[in-house]
Amino acid sequence: MTSEHRFETDAIHAGYEPDKVTGAVMPPIYASTTFEQDAPGHDRGYEYSRTGNPTRSALEGNLAALEGAAFGRAYASGMAAINTVLNLFESGDHVVAERDLYGGTHRLFRQVYEQYDLSFTFVDMDDPAAVDAACTEHTQLVWAETPTNPLLKVVDIEAIAEVANAHDALFGVDNTFATPYLQRPLDLGADIVCHSLTKYLGGHSDVVGGALLTDDAALDERFGFYQNAVGATPDPFGCFLVLRGTKTLPVRMDRHCSNARAVASWLDDRPEVSRVYYPGLTGHPQHALADRQMSNFGGMVSFELDTDLETASAFISDLEVFTLAESLGGVESLIEQPASMTHAALPADERRKAGLSDGLIRASIGLEHVDDLLEDLERAFNNIP
Ligand code: P1T
């Protein structure tokens, strides 16, 4: 499904044309579990909704166009999508992954797949040589997020794709934080793009979903096999909600980016903040790479308070415009403490090794007026004893 138009146009139209019978402009929610067949084994494109559903097809076509992918598959959650990638491998296989990953991804790797004898090596991918050194003859997959969750490190997709290729390993990129509006990993040499649709693509904190995109027909066929065989597929209403979200992705992302840049610069000047993590700041170690690889720097900002877990926790609890909650990418600003929330599944020593201090705070900057966000932060800073 190659993209025929510019991103903003595809976001609205790709994957669906007004219904031939009714003219419905929005894709119908096909709430049918099963589809009539003309003769046994002769369906009209759909047989059973776990296997395929027209609302899901519309979403898959839309997402594929946005990532510039030939194929797209939707899943019940971001974790279900990542799980599907791991379904490809056998015991004895090895995965090299960026150290800074969503805590749930780390948990899936270590607490589910290690028991099936898959092994994982975590490296800092700001150095492609470290990935090369970690690959073995058993390495089947190299896996990264960029920007990473929660430290907003930027991974050089082209450089890591080359390393993975040299080892005949697949390279998968979780593009949840950037979205295809800011970065298209397949164009830079990745084999698989993964999304938590729960975040910016859904965009309104009202649907959980996931997706895998690829240009490789054989891989896509296996992804489709696992949709049907495992059954972690999204329901048609969820697909509809994500489709509704992708239509406004470009306008939402523009504001997420400009608000986040303003918040990051403001935090950078605060005496209470010892470090700000935002790829758009010139002081970010991979700012030049982010500038080259992404069209803007995203809506996520992390920062460190030089305090203990309790003080950092009291600070974020005191905010009124920011909502204290896990997740990200919705219209509302969310704030959280990785050590006790999104990354609590990591053992404490691993968390420290990954650079996640107790005073680390992660904010998903929403679409509110930026001055209300800054005033909220200022008030809570002034309340720190
Ligand atoms: O929540 P789910 O849709 O299953 O997606 C998992 C996931 C995958 N990849 C990244 C980069 C993610 O950030 C997530 C989910 N993250 C959060 C819930 C969070 O607050 O970071």
Side-chain angles (χ1 to χ4, degrees):
M1 226 161 298
T2 46
S3 152
E4 287 173 22
H5 296 105
R6 291 170 184 79
F7 192 95
E8 290 79 353
T9 310
D10 277 341
I12 292 165
H13 296 290
Y16 176 74
E17 283 179 6
D19 187 77
K20 296 262 181 318
V21 178
T22 64
V25 168
M26 284 298 288
I29 300 164
Y30 282 92
S32 187
T33 54
T34 192
F35 298 85
E36 184 186 33
Q37 306 197 5
D38 295 327
H42 293 268
D43 59 57
R44 301 170 208 162
Y46 296 95
E47 56 178 56
Y48 185 64
S49 269
R50 165 162 40 75
T51 324
N53 174 284
T55 316
R56 190 169 98 207
S57 298
L59 173 62
E60 292 174 337
N62 184 262
L63 295 172
L66 298 188
E67 282 290 357
F71 308 101
R73 299 278 177 179
Y75 295 87
S77 66
M79 291 319 305
I82 300 170
N83 182 63
T84 302
V85 176
L86 294 177
N87 285 163
L88 298 171
F89 307 115
E90 297 174 355
S91 68
D93 286 346
H94 176 242
V95 176
V96 176
E98 159 61 44
R99 197 185 300 284
D100 193 41
L101 287 178
Y102 168 54
T105 305
H106 201 274
R107 178 176 53 205
L108 179 72
F109 288 178
R110 303 295 307 276
Q111 295 183 39
V112 179
Y113 278 92
E114 278 188 355
Q115 69 177 331
Y116 299 118
D117 207 19
L118 249 61
S119 61
F120 298 86
T121 304
F122 296 92
V123 298
D124 294 313
M125 290 201 182
D126 31 1
D127 178 14
V131 180
D132 189 48
C135 284
T136 72
E137 58 182 309
H138 301 294
T139 305
Q140 297 287 345
L141 176 72
V142 175
W143 187 261
E145 295 170 2
T146 182
T148 62
N149 181 0
L151 291 177
L152 298 156
K153 285 162 63 175
V154 180
V155 173
D156 187 336
I157 297 172
E158 263 179 327
I160 304 296
E162 229 170 81
V163 174
N165 216 13
H167 289 275
D168 284 330
L170 292 169
F171 180 33
V173 174
D174 185 332
N175 203 26
T176 298
F177 270 34
T179 83
Y181 182 58
L182 304 183
Q183 164 180 286
R184 299 218 303 192
L186 296 178
D187 294 346
L188 299 169
D191 301 297
I192 301 165
V193 167
C194 158
H195 279 285
S196 167
L197 301 175
T198 318
K199 317 303 180 197
Y200 292 104
L201 294 175
H204 298 75
S205 302
D206 56 6
V207 57
V208 173
L212 294 176
L213 298 308
T214 184
D215 283 333
D216 182 325
L219 259 184
D220 176 66
E221 202 179 316
R222 295 186 70 189
F223 291 158
F225 170 79
Y226 289 116
Q227 277 183 320
N228 191 39
V230 176
T233 48
D235 68 277
F237 182 59
C239 294
F240 171 85
L241 286 176
V242 179
L243 267 169
R244 194 177 203 258
T246 58
K247 288 178 194 297
T248 55
L249 179 70
V251 287
R252 284 187 288 109
M253 286 314 290
D254 285 344
R255 182 62 67 85
H256 280 299
C257 291
S258 62
N259 275 0
R261 191 193 291 244
V263 170
S265 308
W266 186 86
L267 287 170
D268 212 23
D269 287 338
R270 287 299 299 197
E272 300 87 349
V273 175
S274 50
R275 186 160 174 193
V276 180
Y277 301 85
Y278 185 65
L281 292 179
T282 50
H284 185 284
Q286 292 110 27
H287 173 68
L289 168 62
D291 199 25
R292 195 169 75 234
Q293 183 166 278
M294 303 170 72
S295 62
N296 204 334
F297 303 103
M300 298 300 294
V301 179
S302 294
F303 57 101
E304 231 154 76
L305 297 185
D306 208 3
T307 55
D308 53 22
L309 195 81
E310 288 69 32
T311 311
S313 147
F315 167 74
I316 56 174
S317 305
D318 191 27
L319 291 163
E320 287 171 359
V321 182
F322 283 85
T323 301
L324 171 56
E326 298 194 7
S327 203
L328 58 118
V331 293
E332 66 291 305
S333 291
L334 301 178
I335 199 152
E336 66 109 13
Q337 184 173 44
S340 59
M341 296 171 69
T342 50
H343 292 70
L346 262 76
D349 60 323
E350 303 244 3
R351 214 163 52 224
R352 248 166 259 131
K353 215 191 289 174
L356 309 190
S357 70
D358 288 350
L360 181 71
I361 290 168
R362 189 195 75 185
S364 169
I365 307 300
L367 309 183
E368 299 92 342
H369 195 292
V370 71
D371 290 344
D372 289 323
L373 298 176
L374 298 180
E375 282 167 24
D376 197 30
L377 290 165
E378 177 151 41
R379 192 188 45 73
F381 275 133
N382 292 338
N383 285 343
I384 294 179

